Amino acid sequence: MGFSLAGLAAQTPAGSGLRGAATSAHPGRDRLREPPSRRSGCPRGSGGAEVSCVMLIHVIQPSITKNLIIGSHNGGYRRRTPFGARSGRCKIYSWFQRKEPTCQQVYGLWNSARLQQTGMLPRSGTDADAASVREVFMKLGYKIKINNDLSCGDIFKLLKNVSEEDHSKRSSFVCVLLSHGDEGLIYGTDGPLELKALTSLFRGDRCRSLAGKPKLFFIQACRGTELDSGIEADSRSDETMCQKIPVEADFLYAYSTAPGYYSWRNSAEGSWFIQSLCKMLKEHARKLELMQILTRVNRRVAEYESCSTRQDFNAKKQIPCIVSMLTKEFYFPC
């Protein structure tokens, strides 16, 4: 199941003086609620109101919109510590050092359903998410490839083909899914598909060339129909390498919302999760470990609050859900 308020307008920080009447096309809006010390201005580091992302792809058909960005990163990472060095008790994923130029790729799929069989509404604003993901990963050294309008069968076939590629000279795998969804499901043009059927293609026993390497999945989709109303709260201040590894090891799943809940998306600016993820990657990808970045993403998304003319959708909250089976620390390339 997917969810987007048709009446959401541009994201506006509470107390920033930018909470004027919404446009006629978007009678409601969502806002970013600031802690007391920050309500007089915009979010820290924003330098003003949220920057709108340029639409690179226009979705014309009034039906489901789905984005799938699949990426693999080749060698050429600069290690933060000498090979095999410890970071506290946790090791850092070691990136291959190659003399020849490296080529980082992100295979992008922009999937706009052209059939009304699922009964889902169009995912307005998802093009802004795709543009933001494209921009941030290009800056991290990835190449982007985009494909359009795939059915569930085509999505599975594409990912299966990618899982069968030779990743021996690549150091990681990244997949970003932007779609309607439900718990354990993601939607294609013709209906739902089990997420497990897609992610299991990259298990260590099925994709041997990615075994022991980080496989990151970022999933922007609903996971149910519950709404989070929020609650007011007071503020307060070297290991031996295993020769045998679990087949489910070295995966990370970053879901946009907790199990069972809606995932919020602004019809003009994009989803709370993807926009927060891209902003935090832009600010911290060169210096912080991935889990530190995702903790900041959680914090930023938690500060959002919906603002709608529909009372049952007003003043709602959201929190991402990070599930990590990574066995080492992960840093993006410098």
Side-chain angles (χ1 to χ4, degrees):
M1 179 172 294
F3 179 68
S4 173
L5 289 183
L8 289 183
Q11 299 164 359
T12 306
S16 65
L18 299 175
R19 294 178 55 197
T23 64
S24 58
H26 306 286
R29 62 191 181 279
D30 54 303
R31 59 179 178 262
L32 181 61
R33 174 169 289 181
E34 299 298 327
S37 63
R38 292 168 60 188
R39 286 183 183 172
S40 60
C42 295
R44 184 178 302 166
S46 67
E50 294 279 345
V51 179
S52 299
C53 297
V54 178
M55 288 188 183
L56 301 181
I57 304 172
H58 298 280
V59 179
I60 300 174
Q61 295 295 330
S63 49
I64 298 175
T65 303
K66 175 184 175 68
N67 307 273
L68 169 61
I69 298 175
I70 314 158
S72 54
H73 200 297
N74 283 12
Y77 280 73
R78 186 176 72 193
R79 293 193 299 270
R80 306 303 175 107
T81 60
F83 182 83
R86 300 177 184 226
S87 175
R89 288 180 174 269
C90 185
K91 297 178 77 171
I92 296 174
Y93 283 105
S94 300
W95 313 116
F96 301 106
Q97 301 298 311
R98 302 170 60 200
K99 295 181 180 179
E100 66 270 23
T102 60
C103 178
Q104 298 80 250
Q105 292 185 334
V106 172
Y107 303 91
L109 162 63
W110 182 276
N111 184 15
S112 171
R114 298 182 179 277
L115 299 177
Q116 299 292 335
Q117 298 174 1
T118 61
M120 295 290 186
L121 294 173
R123 298 190 65 254
S124 302
T126 193
D127 45 4
D129 283 347
S132 295
V133 170
R134 180 179 183 274
E135 177 188 2
V136 73
F137 277 96
M138 283 186 69
K139 288 183 177 179
L140 288 174
Y142 289 83
K143 291 184 177 179
I144 311 297
K145 294 184 179 179
I146 298 177
N147 299 283
N148 299 317
D149 304 322
L150 297 187
S151 64
C152 291
D154 289 338
I155 293 169
F156 181 85
K157 182 178 179 180
L158 174 66
L159 280 173
K160 189 173 187 299
N161 288 339
V162 173
S163 71
E164 293 172 350
E165 291 180 7
D166 181 8
H167 300 278
S168 59
K169 295 182 179 179
R170 294 170 180 162
S171 302
S172 66
F173 175 83
V174 177
C175 178
V176 183
L177 294 159
L178 315 177
S179 182
H180 284 300
D182 208 329
E183 183 57 37
L185 301 175
I186 199 81
Y187 275 78
T189 61
D190 53 353
L193 180 64
E194 287 191 6
L195 276 169
K196 190 67 176 178
L198 301 178
T199 61
S200 64
L201 293 170
F202 299 92
R203 290 182 358 176
D205 59 342
R206 301 181 68 180
C207 182
R208 299 300 297 271
S209 60
L210 280 176
K213 301 175 184 178
K215 295 163 281 285
L216 315 179
F217 289 82
F218 299 95
I219 304 162
Q220 166 58 44
C222 289
R223 302 180 71 186
T225 59
E226 291 187 59
L227 293 168
D228 187 340
S229 298
I231 186 171
E232 296 295 332
D234 295 331
S235 286
R236 305 182 185 275
S237 311
D238 193 51
E239 304 173 3
T240 301
M241 195 64 175
C242 295
Q243 297 302 312
K244 189 175 182 180
I245 63 174
V247 297
E248 299 283 0
D250 303 297
F251 279 86
L252 179 136
Y253 305 96
Y255 295 93
S256 62
T257 191
Y261 283 87
Y262 275 127
S263 185
W264 290 82
R265 170 173 34 84
N266 184 286
S267 58
E269 301 291 330
S271 63
W272 297 358
F273 173 65
I274 292 296
Q275 293 302 315
S276 297
L277 173 65
C278 291
K279 182 176 178 61
M280 294 300 100
L281 284 175
K282 288 178 184 178
E283 293 181 4
H284 304 297
R286 304 294 189 183
K287 53 189 176 182
L288 295 183
E289 198 272 333
L290 179 59
M291 293 304 295
Q292 293 177 307
I293 296 172
L294 293 178
T295 299
R296 285 161 172 77
V297 172
N298 281 1
R299 174 71 183 196
R300 183 173 178 82
V301 173
E303 291 174 352
Y304 279 98
E305 182 176 293
S306 68
C307 184
S308 173
T309 54
R310 289 183 56 177
Q311 192 58 37
D312 53 340
F313 290 145
N314 189 48
K316 303 304 179 183
K317 306 289 288 183
Q318 178 180 324
I319 186 67
C321 177
I322 313 303
V323 180
S324 176
M325 279 87 84
L326 297 182
T327 57
K328 302 175 186 177
E329 294 182 343
F330 179 91
Y331 288 89
F332 284 100
C334 295

